[in-house]
Amino acid sequence: MSLLSFGFNHRRTPISVLERAALDESSLAAVVATAEASQDISEHLVIATCNRTEIYAEVSAFHGAVADLTEALTSSTGITHEDLKEHVDLHYGDAAVGHVFNVAAGLDSMAVGESQILGQLRAALARAQAEGHVGSHLNSLVQQALRTGKQVHAETAIDEVSRSLVSAGLDRAGEHVGPLEQAHVLVVGAGSMSALAATTAQRRGVSRLTVVNRTHERGVALAERVGGGARPLEELGKALADADVVISCTGSSGLAIGLADVADAQVSRVGREQVYLDLALPHDIAHEVDDLTGVTRIGLEELGRVLGPQGVLPEVEQARDIVGAAVTRHLGERAASIAAPTVRALRSAAQQVVESELARLDQRTPEMSPEDREEVGRAVHRIVDKLLHQPTVRAKELAVDGRFGEYEDALRQLFDLHAEGSQL
């Protein structure tokens, strides 16, 4: 078995394609069902965030698994085979392991070092566990990746140098509406990203903060946590007219704020500058609002350009060192677990031969003293241990390199082994 990472993320995929690849509950269930039915996939989980839709899977056959996952995404989303071929981000084997660790550490995020991905990956794992789609290999991988991500945030200053999408958006908003300390911010939605937006805005010292959510009670609860106010969804139009900066991330499959909504708000505002920060995927706010006088729409694509590459920062390099060491440890542990059943079977077979021959020696040499018999036993065991040392070391080395299969088959054939839990 080898790990496969397959899907779309902001690094290789335009936002327009990422929007079509976004998974709602129905399409997520369809992707999971296709992966579950694949003969070449034994374990899998799906992570879907505002800038990535990826499947991590333990696979027995690379090409078969890729074909099945291609079918899963193209049949369940608006992605075409041409889009997938051009933009899919695919990692296999050790590279896939490294990718998962980088994702957990925030090193593959649009806002490098952001910590929200830890919660998203943990939620994806919990869902896959509850549905019985992950086993020992994938569970161990993701658990270690999550621990490494926490270690990166605890031991480096990456949180201080990485700006979140919200912070970057608020910086841009301030360029249009003036000091945030004098701005009224409206947050549409009450999910995890909306909570992050509200908290960040509150910490930036905005003048007023209002939350509007489809379920009013959840909006009220979020507003109370951040010292803001809440309005029911029926008052969205009035709330838009009052707000200088609107942040939307509802997770809705359709538009949350249309062109007519913003045009009406502008009439009430008599043309005063207004910024719409769209953090949703698919997008919440009609792109056309950017054409209205006095209105600026900032989406994920624009924020990606604002954040830019941050790979040369020393804090990022320190994080990469931590991730690199963790990946090496995991690969070593994984290799040992792959080789372990065959190594155990080989040593068990050798032990049986030793015990059989020593028992026969006992019968043929009754005159041998207990001391001599014990010394002979130790000598035989030492000889067997030395004979098995190199095959054992070689088995682990080949497992690390991903070339253990043929070696395992040769050992089983030569020594007539029956290794329970073997990879073959």
Side-chain angles (χ1 to χ4, degrees):
M1 288 289 173
S2 295
L3 183 71
L4 175 68
S5 169
F6 184 94
F8 302 93
N9 58 59
H10 69 97
R11 291 187 181 276
R12 285 183 52 86
T13 312
I15 295 297
S16 59
V17 178
L18 271 177
E19 288 188 324
R20 298 205 301 277
L23 301 176
D24 57 20
E25 283 298 317
S26 176
S27 56
L28 175 59
V31 169
V32 168
T34 302
E36 186 67 12
S38 173
Q39 295 182 347
D40 299 315
I41 299 174
S42 61
E43 305 177 36
H44 58 87
L45 68 79
V46 181
I47 179 165
T49 74
C50 64
N51 52 38
R52 77 177 62 248
T53 297
E54 293 181 337
I55 305 165
Y56 306 144
E58 286 287 338
V59 305
S60 58
F62 173 82
H63 294 292
V66 168
D68 289 338
L69 294 180
T70 296
E71 173 62 23
L73 286 178
T74 55
S75 63
S76 305
T77 69
I79 293 295
T80 66
H81 281 81
E82 291 72 22
D83 287 332
L84 188 144
K85 182 178 180 181
E86 182 176 358
H87 301 298
V88 70
D89 193 32
L90 188 153
H91 304 273
Y92 184 63
D94 293 359
V97 172
H99 177 70
V100 175
F101 274 75
N102 278 319
V103 168
L107 293 177
D108 196 65
S109 297
M110 185 179 290
V112 175
E114 58 92 12
S115 59
Q116 189 183 17
I117 188 63
L118 283 169
Q120 293 165 334
L121 185 55
R122 188 177 294 109
L125 176 62
R127 176 170 182 155
Q129 288 172 330
E131 296 174 349
H133 299 321
V134 297
S136 58
H137 289 304
L138 198 51
N139 182 69
S140 174
L141 166 75
V142 178
Q143 293 284 13
Q144 290 191 43
L146 288 169
R147 286 194 292 271
T148 301
K150 290 178 63 177
Q151 181 185 357
V152 164
H153 287 283
E155 297 182 8
T156 76
I158 197 168
D159 290 327
E160 299 175 12
V161 300
S162 63
R163 293 183 295 169
S164 71
L165 292 173
V166 179
S167 292
L170 288 174
D171 288 343
R172 287 292 306 278
E175 297 172 6
H176 295 275
V177 302
L180 293 176
E181 294 80 5
Q182 301 173 18
H184 178 192
V185 173
L186 169 66
V187 176
V188 181
S192 59
M193 191 66 180
S194 298
L196 175 64
T199 302
T200 304
Q202 185 267 343
R203 289 176 178 172
R204 296 288 294 269
V206 299
S207 174
R208 289 173 57 200
L209 180 67
T210 303
V211 178
V212 169
N213 187 55
R214 184 177 302 277
T215 304
H216 185 53
E217 291 76 14
R218 291 190 63 191
V220 170
L222 173 58
E224 289 178 347
R225 290 204 305 271
V226 297
R231 301 179 78 160
L233 186 62
E234 294 75 19
E235 297 182 13
L236 177 61
K238 295 179 180 178
L240 291 176
D242 290 342
D244 302 304
V245 179
V246 178
I247 306 173
S248 187
C249 187
T250 66
S252 171
S253 57
L255 289 177
I257 301 173
L259 178 61
D261 299 321
V262 179
D264 289 345
Q266 275 297 298
V267 170
S268 299
R269 293 175 63 82
V270 196
R272 283 183 292 123
E273 286 280 334
Q274 194 175 32
V275 171
Y276 286 79
L277 181 56
D278 192 344
L279 303 180
L281 193 69
H283 63 278
D284 269 351
I285 303 169
H287 288 91
E288 295 80 5
V289 306
D290 210 24
D291 297 328
L292 296 173
T293 301
V295 175
T296 300
R297 178 188 179 277
I298 302 171
L300 291 174
E301 193 164 9
E302 292 83 356
L303 290 177
R305 291 194 294 267
V306 170
L307 291 167
Q310 302 185 52
V312 298
L313 296 173
E315 294 83 357
V316 172
E317 291 302 318
Q318 185 182 2
R320 286 176 175 164
D321 288 342
I322 292 173
V323 168
V327 169
T328 299
R329 285 195 303 273
H330 177 79
L331 291 175
E333 293 169 2
R334 180 185 176 93
S337 69
I338 290 173
T342 299
V343 170
R344 283 197 301 269
L346 180 60
R347 290 191 172 275
S348 176
Q351 182 65 24
Q352 291 175 17
V353 172
V354 168
E355 291 176 356
S356 175
E357 290 304 315
L358 288 177
R360 188 174 347 186
L361 180 65
D362 288 345
Q363 293 176 354
R364 292 183 177 180
T365 59
E367 72 283 358
M368 184 180 292
S369 69
E371 293 79 10
D372 289 342
R373 200 177 302 282
E374 186 176 343
E375 183 59 35
V376 169
R378 284 197 296 267
V380 173
H381 281 291
R382 282 197 300 270
I383 292 170
V384 171
D385 286 342
K386 289 182 178 179
L387 287 174
L388 294 184
H389 175 72
Q390 188 56 38
T392 299
V393 171
R394 188 61 178 151
K396 294 178 180 179
E397 291 174 346
L398 290 171
V400 170
D401 293 338
R403 297 183 292 130
F404 182 60
E406 293 183 4
Y407 186 72
E408 179 183 23
D409 187 51
L411 287 175
R412 292 178 63 189
Q413 294 292 332
L414 287 171
F415 294 97
D416 191 26
L417 302 179
H418 301 283
E420 183 179 351
S422 165
Q423 296 299 297
L424 293 180

